[in-house]
Amino acid sequence: MRQLKTKILANKQIAKGFYRMRLGSPYFAKRTKPGQFFEVRCSRANKPLLRRPLSAHRILDKGVELLYEAVGPGTEHLSRKTAGEYLDVVGPLGNGFNISSDKRPAILVAGGVGVASLLALAEKISSKRIGSYVIIGARKAQGVLCEKELKKMGCFVMVSTEDGSRGHKGYATDILRHLLEVVKCQTSGIYACGPHPMLKAAAHIAYLSGTQCQVSLDERMACGIGVCLGCPVKVKTKGVYKMVCKDGPVFNAEEIAW
């Protein structure tokens, strides 16, 4: 982990409210693992005061990409940054995904902007010549991200939207349940990132099918190193809480007290 001034190589809007930023940093490129994140200072001013935690979206030869949604003052400010500017970034932080050596296909489940951390994972799995089923869930068609990129990697991509404007009408976990319970898909494991209710449902489906499942939790991570104690998650060990930023953000789903 280091705090670095990193050059913005690109910052482009890819859908309404969603942006992809590329940062030049050989250090980050060499040391980042899928599932880890960065704490990004969005402005040189004191407002917003806190950094924003952003997942490693892609890990490149000489840098990394971040995918984020402009939903508040910090990310709105970030969305106005242009190529050539510099950002104060701390990372890589946290613990990433553990990729199984099992050669059976993996199942990746993304809810909304949760796909941000799963693209790097899909690339890593693909580099090992292991196939992947990827389920992308969103509220509506405009929120379906990274479908083309995932298909180019050779992933079998399935889409669900809550309003039925794209793919299956319903939730990403509906498709996951169908794959495991109806199709009887043989998989090396499930990797999920998205809203808490989706992760809870995915964990339950995985448990019922006897499938290993890793989840990337999304919490407010102010410091990113476990000092501020602002992102606790209750685990099944009685009376024990862990910090999402330090002990996660990726956990074994069976470890969490949902």
Side-chain angles (χ1 to χ4, degrees):
M1 175 193 73
R2 284 186 184 177
Q3 179 178 352
L4 299 174
K5 297 288 186 181
T6 57
K7 187 175 183 179
I8 299 173
L9 304 181
N11 189 31
K12 297 181 179 180
Q13 185 173 8
I14 61 169
K16 186 177 180 180
F18 295 93
Y19 295 81
R20 182 182 285 130
M21 177 180 285
R22 179 172 294 188
L23 301 176
S25 172
Y27 177 86
F28 289 159
K30 185 176 181 180
R31 290 165 176 80
T32 303
K33 297 178 180 179
Q36 290 188 296
F37 69 98
F38 300 91
E39 287 280 0
V40 179
R41 185 175 182 183
C42 300
S43 171
R44 294 181 181 178
N46 290 330
K47 291 185 179 182
L49 178 63
L50 299 178
R51 294 173 182 266
R52 295 297 183 267
L54 298 178
S55 300
H57 179 52
R58 292 188 68 207
I59 304 165
L60 310 171
D61 290 337
K62 295 183 180 180
V64 294
E65 281 187 357
L66 311 176
L67 174 64
Y68 63 97
E69 184 179 8
V71 292
T75 46
E76 284 285 357
H77 192 90
L78 201 63
S79 70
R80 296 191 290 271
K81 296 286 186 180
T82 59
E85 294 186 66
Y86 283 80
L87 281 181
D88 186 322
V89 182
V90 178
L93 297 164
N95 295 301
F97 293 101
N98 292 315
I99 301 174
S100 172
S101 59
D102 191 323
K103 295 298 182 181
R104 291 178 296 173
I107 300 178
L108 281 58
V109 187
V113 77
V115 75
S117 67
L118 294 183
L119 192 74
L121 176 64
E123 285 187 319
K124 187 70 173 180
I125 292 173
S126 179
S127 72
K128 296 178 178 292
R129 298 184 179 181
I130 301 172
S132 295
Y133 297 100
V134 181
I135 307 168
I136 304 174
R139 291 181 179 176
K140 51 188 178 180
Q142 294 90 329
V144 177
L145 306 173
C146 305
E147 183 179 1
K148 291 182 179 179
E149 293 92 331
L150 288 161
K151 285 182 176 179
K152 285 182 180 179
M153 294 177 206
C155 299
F156 185 81
V157 181
M158 294 155 281
V159 173
S160 71
T161 51
E162 292 180 27
D163 66 357
S165 53
R166 279 287 309 280
H168 166 75
K169 183 177 181 179
Y171 301 106
T173 47
D174 296 338
I175 300 177
L176 176 63
R177 183 179 290 106
H178 182 81
L179 282 177
L180 294 177
E181 297 179 3
V182 179
V183 179
K184 303 294 183 182
C185 177
Q186 297 298 306
T187 177
S188 60
I190 299 166
Y191 305 85
C193 184
H196 187 87
M198 187 205 83
L199 297 181
K200 182 179 179 179
H204 181 65
I205 293 167
Y207 173 76
L208 292 178
S209 65
T211 306
Q212 290 292 319
C213 179
Q214 295 175 50
V215 294
S216 178
L217 300 183
D218 182 16
E219 296 288 342
R220 294 182 180 273
M221 299 183 285
C223 71
I225 55 175
V227 174
C228 71
L229 305 180
C231 58
V233 59
K234 188 177 182 180
V235 297
K236 289 181 178 178
T237 303
K238 186 176 180 180
V240 174
Y241 286 80
K242 291 190 175 182
M243 296 299 115
V244 171
C245 66
K246 181 182 178 182
D247 303 306
V250 178
F251 293 88
N252 185 317
E254 292 189 10
E255 184 180 1
I256 305 300
W258 299 101

